[in-house]
Amino acid sequence: MNRSLDVATSFAASVTRLGGGMQVAPLGRRPKQRLELYEFEACPFCRKVREALSMLDLEATVYPCPKGGSRFRPAVRERGGKALFPFLVDPNTKREMYESDDIVAYLFERYGDGGVPLSLRLGPLTDAFSMLASAWRPAGGARYEPAKHPAKLLELYSFEASPFCRIVRERLCALEIPYVLHNVAKGSPSRDAFIERSGKMMVPYLVDPNTGVEMFESADIVAYLNRTYAKAA
Ligand SMILES: N[C@@H](CCC(=O)N[C@@H](CS)C(=O)NCC(=O)O)C(=O)O
């Protein structure tokens, strides 16, 4: 896809959700162990959960489960009984959950101040706008593409409303590359540590411990992922 169109449709997806996942909400207790999220980028229900994670400044290990993918989908079927996404695992409470509304409510109850922001509690209206957001990029992070599997987890500094981060998450998703998602939305207390590490406040920022690469710039990151991990079908 042409780069300008790529960024424009990704930007449109964020605007359609009125920038949900741009700004941190009131925070509550912090998890000791990292959450785990099985999801795929194009799924509108998964987006609601990713917005919640950004707003609550929560990290997660993301296991991408694009359609046609075989890496992590079986684990969800085994653990929960069905291949339905999003699927959240909270090792701190041993909760394993389907259903985006239940997951969002759980996250704000446990890690926020209990109140779910309006943009995420409008039921069918929230779903409709999240579906519209996905509709801008129907092929983005929807289907599996053959890839090599890195031994160590990649790390991505991101926040849900950033159109540039979405472009990178879509690629990680299609290639079924699991990663640690560090959310650094506006107001995030994690931003100082991120700036300390990377040198400036800009996302997406990819860290690949398999190759020692650490980089900014969504187009360069996508090219790096393609070069390093994509396999011709
Ligand atoms: N009510 C559920 C709906 C979840 C749902 O329908 N997810 C779709 C993806 S958008 C799914 O998992 N489909 C099965 C598949 O992709 O194989 C929720 O809000 O979490």
Side-chain angles (χ1 to χ4, degrees):
M1 196 195 296
N2 161 294
R3 172 78 179 160
S4 304
L5 187 62
D6 199 17
V7 173
T9 53
S10 194
F11 182 71
S14 296
V15 170
T16 303
R17 283 294 301 148
L18 303 175
M22 168 92 74
Q23 183 78 41
V24 164
L27 303 179
R29 78 181 74 143
R30 303 289 81 194
K32 285 200 170 62
Q33 298 176 72
R34 195 181 295 130
L35 307 181
E36 297 166 26
L37 179 64
Y38 294 79
E39 58 103 51
F40 58 96
E41 186 67 30
C43 165
F45 306 103
C46 302
R47 182 184 175 104
K48 289 157 60 184
V49 174
R50 296 194 309 265
E51 283 183 15
L53 292 176
S54 273
M55 290 176 182
L56 291 168
D57 203 49
L58 292 170
E59 294 191 342
T61 307
V62 176
Y63 295 98
C65 300
K67 288 189 187 295
S70 58
R71 263 199 108 182
F72 304 114
R73 281 188 166 238
V76 173
R77 216 174 286 114
E78 272 160 37
R79 291 177 90 148
K82 52 191 174 181
L84 189 72
F85 306 94
F87 182 70
L88 180 86
V89 176
D90 185 346
N92 303 283
T93 57
K94 312 273 185 266
R95 292 288 295 268
E96 305 202 346
M97 311 174 67
Y98 291 108
E99 289 303 326
S100 54
D101 285 337
D102 294 346
I103 296 172
V104 165
Y106 167 78
L107 290 174
F108 279 94
E109 180 60 42
R110 173 129 193 115
Y111 299 115
D113 67 357
V116 176
L118 187 64
S119 63
L120 284 170
R121 67 173 146 86
L122 294 175
L125 207 57
T126 298
D127 290 348
F129 276 91
S130 201
M131 282 173 196
L132 269 177
S134 292
W136 284 105
R137 299 175 67 81
R143 287 214 74 82
Y144 155 79
E145 293 172 34
K148 292 176 228 157
H149 299 156
K152 295 183 194 150
L153 283 172
L154 275 61
E155 296 182 46
L156 181 69
Y157 290 82
S158 167
F159 60 89
E160 184 58 27
S162 159
F164 303 102
C165 295
R166 180 183 177 113
I167 290 169
V168 172
R169 292 194 311 263
E170 285 176 355
R171 218 49 221 136
L172 289 165
C173 181
L175 299 174
E176 285 186 303
I177 298 176
Y179 58 99
V180 177
L181 177 65
H182 300 283
N183 280 305
V184 285
K186 292 187 195 308
S188 163
S190 316
R191 280 194 167 200
D192 287 348
F194 170 56
I195 293 168
E196 181 81 17
R197 171 172 199 165
S198 71
K200 60 179 170 181
M201 184 54 236
M202 190 166 94
V203 288
Y205 184 71
L206 183 83
V207 177
D208 186 346
N210 301 282
T211 59
V213 159
E214 305 205 0
M215 63 196 297
F216 291 107
E217 289 300 333
S218 56
D220 295 344
I221 296 173
V222 166
Y224 167 78
L225 291 172
N226 287 339
R227 201 167 57 236
T228 313
Y229 296 115
K231 278 201 288 202

